[in-house]
Amino acid sequence: MRKLVIFDLDHTLMKANSSFWFGVFLYRRGFFSFASMFHCLFCYLQYGVSVLRMEQLHERIFDRIFRGKSLKTVEMEVEGFLEEYFEPLLYQPVIQRLRQAQERADRVVILSSSPHFLVGPIARKLGVVDWEATRYGCNTEGKMDRVASVLGGESKAALLKGWLDQSIFSVEHVTVYSDSVEDLSLLSAAGKAIV
């Protein structure tokens, strides 16, 4: 049976949080003010000490930085960000595991709570077709107007459970790589968990 290898993105495939460094990049480009940067840093710290839930973190940062912004404009900024940050952010020990899985023709999936407009291009650069991320929705003008869904640990575990229930994979053929206690339910559902 084919193997399923699931990778978290931030602090797993990447050495750091890609959303955080994308925020730094956007700030340096004048995309938002110092006050907004400070607000986002404060929210990120609150999340880090469990004052905010992941959903609250996304809502607050979305409201401060992305609400009303053109998705296409943000996607163009992602291109510039990845030109500068992609290679330095890669965590090579885990990237080697991803490459080994690809060489074996395993099904490789990236599941990340970072926004889709960031995760998709990173997945493409890594040659990964299957990925899922937090989704920000747009209005008819292509401007972001809501946090449509947040892909947290429970949502990731639900995706895996769905694949297992459909008998697409058996649990002993599933390996998960993650750094976070947020992904404990996902790690617990896998045949092999690597933290």
Side-chain angles (χ1 to χ4, degrees):
M1 180 176 273
R2 193 174 175 209
K3 292 185 178 179
L4 171 63
V5 186
I6 299 172
F7 292 90
D8 177 47
L9 180 63
D10 298 318
H11 299 284
T12 304
L13 287 167
M14 299 288 203
K15 293 177 195 173
N17 185 298
S18 58
S19 296
F20 175 85
W21 286 106
F22 183 50
V24 170
F25 175 83
L26 289 176
Y27 172 70
R28 285 179 31 220
R29 300 261 302 148
F31 195 83
F32 56 87
S33 68
F34 178 78
S36 291
M37 177 65 153
F38 184 80
H39 173 80
C40 292
L41 282 172
F42 183 66
C43 291
Y44 187 70
L45 288 172
Q46 287 180 306
Y47 169 72
V49 296
S50 301
V51 172
L52 291 180
R53 294 185 329 276
M54 184 179 299
E55 294 80 7
Q56 293 172 306
L57 176 67
H58 274 282
E59 287 287 349
R60 290 183 185 190
I61 290 179
F62 177 82
D63 284 342
R64 195 69 182 231
I65 297 178
F66 296 111
R67 184 176 295 281
K69 297 286 195 309
S70 161
L71 177 59
K72 285 190 185 290
T73 300
V74 172
E75 289 171 338
M76 289 172 55
E77 293 291 348
V78 169
E79 289 177 31
F81 167 71
L82 292 179
E83 283 177 26
E84 184 177 343
Y85 283 85
F86 180 70
E87 290 295 331
L89 280 177
L90 294 178
Y91 183 56
Q92 289 304 325
V94 180
I95 293 296
Q96 288 173 358
R97 299 288 181 96
L98 179 139
R99 296 295 180 222
Q100 290 166 356
Q102 290 172 319
E103 287 168 12
R104 290 190 307 264
D106 295 340
R107 181 175 176 191
V108 174
V109 179
I110 295 173
L111 299 179
S112 176
S113 63
S114 286
H116 68 282
F117 54 70
L118 190 55
V119 178
I122 291 171
R124 283 191 292 278
K125 286 182 81 65
L126 291 170
V128 175
V129 176
D130 294 322
W131 59 273
E132 192 52 70
T134 292
R135 300 278 174 173
Y136 294 170
C138 291
N139 61 22
T140 55
E141 297 171 351
K143 294 189 176 179
M144 290 182 280
D145 64 352
R146 68 196 178 282
V147 177
S149 64
V150 175
L151 189 70
E154 294 299 323
S155 304
K156 293 177 185 181
L159 285 172
L160 175 55
K161 185 179 182 314
W163 295 326
L164 294 173
D165 288 348
Q166 296 169 26
S167 299
I168 297 171
F169 298 97
S170 62
V171 71
E172 63 270 10
H173 292 110
V174 177
T175 301
V176 172
Y177 291 82
S178 180
D179 72 300
S180 176
V181 70
E182 287 271 344
D183 289 337
L184 186 58
S185 55
L186 174 65
L187 290 160
S188 299
K192 184 176 184 182
I194 300 174
V195 181

